[in-house]
Amino acid sequence: MPKISSDADIAALTHWTRSDDGIWIRRSFRFRDFSEAWGFMTRVALLAERMDHHPNWSNVWNTVEIALSTHDSGGLTAKDVALAKAIDALLA
Amino acid sequence: MPKISSDADIAALTHWTRSDDGIWIRRSFRFRDFSEAWGFMTRVALLAERMDHHPNWSNVWNTVEIALSTHDSGGLTAKDVALAKAIDALLA
Amino acid sequence: MPKISSDADIAALTHWTRSDDGIWIRRSFRFRDFSEAWGFMTRVALLAERMDHHPNWSNVWNTVEIALSTHDSGGLTAKDVALAKAIDALLA
Amino acid sequence: MPKISSDADIAALTHWTRSDDGIWIRRSFRFRDFSEAWGFMTRVALLAERMDHHPNWSNVWNTVEIALSTHDSGGLTAKDVALAKAIDALLA
């Protein structure tokens, strides 16, 4: 079971907002249209499957909301930090 | 602006649940794993883009929740009925 | 059956190479990695399904080769020109 | 560098045809339409990224051709066998 990450590691994810209960981080994305949003989601799906760590996420046309947590650990772990950074890198 | 569909047309979508306010229909899907869920979502994305009518939807690993409505019309129209039927047909 | 396009319309697709027999146009793409290539292909798939006109295409890791023709017409038509332009626009 | 697989391991992949030079295996797939073909390809893409081993492949509407080899090893290895089996399992 992955260990809970330090607050400093989570705070370093500057694009992500931590939930009040501390067990989720969230980021919202806005694209030009559905095609661009879906192309992004497809690449996140590849990351998730590769890392064996999957987001809770939703899409409405050009917007995507991603929430990350490690269910088995009951909070945020190195798996969430790594996936968040990899998602950020897709847009860099 | 598409016309609001009749209650009978919506009720005929037996796999879908209508919201209390009447302006949404929803269906939940459960798959074997993320790969199967994502393969399904990819096909729904093709339908949505082809019909130029997109769902509000979310995914958590092997589950997918889809909600349909026609925002411009403020309710359910033939666009929602057609997309719901096409989604159902993917699983038939 | 779509009409064969003029040579001028095809020549205007400056990123595409016409085959010697004149019935195909081809373009090669190179990306940073598979993920970027696949994100692009996913968006081309949405275009193809929306336009109801599909490419002959192949992928090897970070490379994608796309060939377009209109089989029913035995050559290049407005459908190929439109799809080629839409593909080019994804990269603009 | 992965080791070359035994002829017996390759021969056990009954859905796949070995090339005359012995360094490739190939399988062809036919689906109902582009949507079904693309849904399948999307799941193969997830496998490939997860296994970090990617196919040479092509698509024409409802058909998909997949060729596997391990370039670094100059032939067929356990990576090809594992990916071929995982692809077969998608259709089981």
Side-chain angles (χ1 to χ4, degrees):
Chain A
M1 196 168 75
K3 278 197 311 180
I4 297 296
S5 291
S6 72
D7 288 349
D9 284 351
I10 303 303
L13 301 167
T14 55
H15 296 294
W16 297 74
T17 303
R18 196 166 187 175
S19 61
D20 288 344
D21 60 14
I23 65 175
W24 291 93
I25 48 172
R26 294 197 170 81
R27 185 174 174 189
S28 299
F29 305 84
R30 181 176 296 272
F31 298 92
R32 261 181 296 184
D33 53 22
F34 177 75
S35 165
E36 195 173 278
W38 187 252
F40 166 74
M41 290 180 74
T42 290
R43 298 186 67 189
V44 172
L46 292 179
L47 289 173
E49 196 70 355
R50 184 169 200 143
M51 297 182 167
D52 203 13
H53 190 57
H54 297 80
N56 282 29
W57 55 346
S58 61
N59 161 246
V60 180
W61 198 56
N62 70 331
T63 63
V64 180
E65 305 270 339
I66 300 183
L68 304 177
S69 191
T70 305
H71 311 293
D72 292 349
S73 303
L76 294 160
T77 70
K79 282 173 162 269
D80 302 298
V81 173
L83 183 51
K85 284 182 179 170
I87 291 170
D88 289 348
L90 292 181
L91 301 170
Chain B
M1 197 170 74
K3 277 197 310 179
I4 297 296
S5 291
S6 71
D7 288 349
D9 284 351
I10 304 304
L13 300 167
T14 54
H15 295 295
W16 297 75
T17 303
R18 196 167 188 174
S19 62
D20 288 345
D21 60 13
I23 66 176
W24 292 92
I25 48 172
R26 293 197 171 82
R27 185 173 174 189
S28 298
F29 305 84
R30 181 176 295 272
F31 298 93
R32 261 180 295 185
D33 53 23
F34 177 74
S35 164
E36 194 174 279
W38 187 253
F40 166 74
M41 289 179 74
T42 291
R43 299 185 68 188
V44 172
L46 291 179
L47 288 174
E49 196 70 355
R50 183 168 201 144
M51 296 182 169
D52 202 13
H53 189 57
H54 298 80
N56 282 30
W57 54 345
S58 60
N59 161 246
V60 181
W61 199 55
N62 71 331
T63 64
V64 179
E65 306 270 339
I66 300 183
L68 304 178
S69 191
T70 305
H71 312 292
D72 293 348
S73 302
L76 294 159
T77 69
K79 281 172 162 268
D80 302 298
V81 173
L83 183 51
K85 285 182 180 170
I87 291 170
D88 289 349
L90 292 180
L91 302 169
Chain C
M1 196 169 74
K3 277 197 310 181
I4 297 296
S5 291
S6 72
D7 288 349
D9 284 351
I10 304 302
L13 301 167
T14 54
H15 296 293
W16 297 75
T17 303
R18 195 166 188 175
S19 62
D20 288 345
D21 60 13
I23 66 176
W24 292 92
I25 48 173
R26 294 198 170 81
R27 185 173 174 188
S28 299
F29 306 84
R30 181 176 296 270
F31 299 93
R32 262 180 296 185
D33 53 23
F34 177 74
S35 164
E36 194 173 280
W38 185 253
F40 167 73
M41 290 179 73
T42 290
R43 298 185 68 188
V44 173
L46 292 179
L47 288 174
E49 196 71 354
R50 183 170 201 143
M51 295 182 169
D52 202 13
H53 190 57
H54 298 80
N56 282 29
W57 55 345
S58 60
N59 161 246
V60 180
W61 198 56
N62 70 332
T63 64
V64 180
E65 305 270 339
I66 300 182
L68 304 178
S69 191
T70 305
H71 312 293
D72 293 348
S73 302
L76 294 160
T77 69
K79 281 172 162 268
D80 302 298
V81 173
L83 183 51
K85 285 182 180 170
I87 291 170
D88 289 349
L90 292 180
L91 302 169
Chain D
M1 197 171 73
K3 277 197 311 181
I4 296 296
S5 292
S6 72
D7 288 349
D9 284 351
I10 304 302
L13 301 167
T14 54
H15 296 294
W16 297 75
T17 303
R18 197 167 187 173
S19 63
D20 288 346
D21 60 13
I23 65 176
W24 292 93
I25 48 173
R26 293 197 171 83
R27 184 173 175 189
S28 299
F29 305 84
R30 181 176 295 271
F31 298 93
R32 262 181 294 185
D33 53 23
F34 177 74
S35 165
E36 195 173 278
W38 187 252
F40 167 74
M41 291 179 73
T42 291
R43 299 186 67 189
V44 173
L46 291 179
L47 289 174
E49 197 71 355
R50 182 169 202 143
M51 296 182 168
D52 202 13
H53 189 57
H54 297 80
N56 282 29
W57 55 345
S58 61
N59 161 246
V60 180
W61 198 56
N62 70 331
T63 64
V64 180
E65 306 270 338
I66 300 182
L68 304 177
S69 191
T70 305
H71 312 291
D72 292 349
S73 302
L76 294 159
T77 69
K79 281 172 163 269
D80 302 298
V81 173
L83 183 51
K85 284 182 180 170
I87 291 170
D88 289 349
L90 292 181
L91 302 170

